[in-house]
Amino acid sequence: MKILYLHGLGSSGQSSTVQGLKAAGFEVVAPDYKPQHFTESLQQLAALVEAEQPDILVGTSMGGYYALKLNERFGLKTLVVNACFDPATLLRHYLQAPAMDYVTNQPILFDQTMLDAFEAVMITGNTCAQPRAIVGTRDDVIDPSAQRQFCRQQGIEWHDVDWGHRVEDIPLLIQQIERVIQLPG
């Protein structure tokens, strides 16, 4: 099984989640990209989907947003973790206090034009491609109740876990990935 894993804002394709999935024996394609730049990132990631033909998209936080956007376009099986489902709104506070890039230890600067570029997520309802979500009940970055509300509105099934914003249990993540892979389609 080939996983296309999409990291969150300030992270990289070498994250601990990627390392955990690889250690468990999965083939993982995990690109470095700049999630704060919508058009550039979506083009890069769409080209990667076409080239790699993954079996499933897995994304955390901003990577979850891009996984949902790629799901719209390609209809691939998708699992998102604490997805930043509305970057234009959820990232607005970074206009005042920049986010940190944990790879470079430099601030990630945002402006209103960058936020305005993000498109809304519009799940089509195709049950074969219907994404699934993991919601960390201790997430202090993206409000878990807002994540659940988004899932309800979009018809996305979710699973609550006792995690903060980051993946805290690779075996549980793998269990959820395998569950999504086994869905028809």
Side-chain angles (χ1 to χ4, degrees):
M1 170 188 348
K2 186 185 290 187
I3 297 170
L4 176 56
Y5 176 80
L6 305 176
H7 67 76
L9 184 67
S11 189
S12 77
Q14 299 305 311
S15 71
S16 60
T17 302
V18 171
Q19 299 311 314
L21 291 170
K22 286 182 176 181
F26 290 97
E27 180 181 356
V28 182
V29 177
D32 287 326
Y33 67 105
K34 296 183 182 204
Q36 65 270 28
H37 298 292
F38 173 72
T39 303
E40 171 187 313
S41 292
L42 194 59
Q43 289 172 349
Q44 175 189 350
L45 298 173
L48 193 59
V49 166
E50 291 172 349
E52 294 290 339
Q53 298 292 305
D55 298 300
I56 186 170
L57 304 170
V58 178
T60 57
S61 193
M62 280 293 288
Y65 168 77
Y66 284 103
L68 291 170
K69 294 303 291 176
L70 292 168
N71 173 277
E72 289 176 13
R73 184 180 291 188
F74 295 102
L76 293 171
K77 293 178 179 187
T78 303
L79 177 66
V80 298
V81 179
N82 294 326
C84 181
F85 54 86
D86 181 8
T89 301
L90 295 171
L91 300 177
R92 191 170 313 276
H93 66 278
Y94 291 130
L95 293 172
Q96 315 310 323
M100 182 58 72
D101 185 317
Y102 299 109
V103 176
T104 65
N105 288 318
Q106 298 296 313
I108 301 171
L109 303 176
F110 283 88
D111 61 39
Q112 190 61 50
T113 303
M114 291 167 73
L115 295 180
D116 291 344
F118 287 102
E119 299 173 355
V121 172
M122 302 299 292
I123 304 302
T124 63
N126 176 347
T127 56
C128 292
Q130 192 67 19
R132 300 296 189 264
I134 294 174
V135 175
T137 58
R138 294 182 289 104
D139 190 337
D140 61 352
V141 176
I142 303 173
D143 179 16
S145 63
Q147 292 182 59
R148 288 185 208 101
Q149 179 62 26
F150 169 78
C151 288
R152 275 191 287 279
Q153 290 170 340
Q154 296 288 328
I156 298 171
E157 179 183 321
W158 75 90
H159 180 77
D160 283 340
V161 295
D162 184 29
W163 295 353
H165 189 63
R166 301 188 190 293
V167 172
E168 296 178 13
D169 183 339
I170 295 295
L172 181 55
L173 176 63
I174 290 169
Q175 179 185 48
Q176 293 299 310
I177 289 170
E178 290 173 343
R179 181 172 174 241
V180 171
I181 284 294
Q182 292 172 2
L183 293 171

